[in-house]
Amino acid sequence: MADNARAKRLADLIREVVAEKLHRGIKDPRLGTHVTVTDTRVTGDLREATVFYTVYGDDEVRKAAAAGLESAKGVLRTAVGAAAGVKHTPSLTFVADALPENARTIDDLLARAKASDEEVRKASSGADYAGGADPYRKPGEDQQDEDQPDEDE
């Protein structure tokens, strides 16, 4: 079993090689400049590598890019094997990265929270405090209350 540092170095190398090969070496029009490699992870035994990618475009472009990556898997694995120089070239698995969708969801939630805060700010702009501006008793006020007789007496 390989150490984690070696797996990390191999993952970095795979990410660079796959990105470079997608950018310059593969002439598939489904891939082109639409695909960006975001991360790569390698198992501890260096046998399998997962390549995370994002695609700029709509769902149709994403499906075409996924099909293009699957068809180019052998060429990309060959390029990784030539660059890595390891005994066994890891098999590549391509997974669409969910980062852009997560970022879009977070942006939408932040926009909703900002709109809600603005509504609260507008509703409270002319409001007064429930107990006055300073609801706490001051030491001089306690003596005044003791000097005045209770209405019950």
Side-chain angles (χ1 to χ4, degrees), residues 26-152:
I26 296 181
K27 304 295 183 203
D28 193 341
R30 297 176 291 185
L31 300 175
T33 59
H34 302 292
V35 179
T36 302
V37 177
T38 56
D39 193 18
T40 306
R41 296 193 184 138
V42 177
T43 58
D45 60 357
L46 307 178
R47 295 283 181 158
E48 298 174 14
T50 304
V51 179
F52 295 93
Y53 68 94
T54 59
V55 179
Y56 182 73
D58 58 355
D59 287 336
E60 191 173 311
V61 174
R62 288 184 189 124
K63 288 178 185 177
L69 286 170
E70 284 299 316
S71 69
K73 189 183 285 190
V75 174
L76 294 172
R77 185 172 181 213
T78 302
V80 167
V86 291
K87 185 176 183 180
H88 176 76
T89 302
S91 60
L92 301 177
T93 305
F94 293 97
V95 177
D97 199 355
L99 183 68
E101 289 81 17
N102 291 344
R104 194 173 311 116
T105 303
I106 290 172
D107 286 342
D108 292 343
L109 291 173
L110 288 173
R112 285 180 29 204
K114 185 177 180 181
S116 175
D117 287 348
E118 189 61 35
E119 289 176 16
V120 169
R121 189 174 299 115
K122 285 179 183 178
S124 66
S125 63
D128 291 331
Y129 293 105
D134 188 11
Y136 299 104
R137 289 185 160 181
K138 297 191 177 40
E141 292 176 356
D142 289 342
Q143 292 174 356
Q144 291 173 358
D145 290 341
E146 291 174 4
D147 294 340
Q148 296 177 357
D150 289 340
E151 292 180 14
D152 294 340

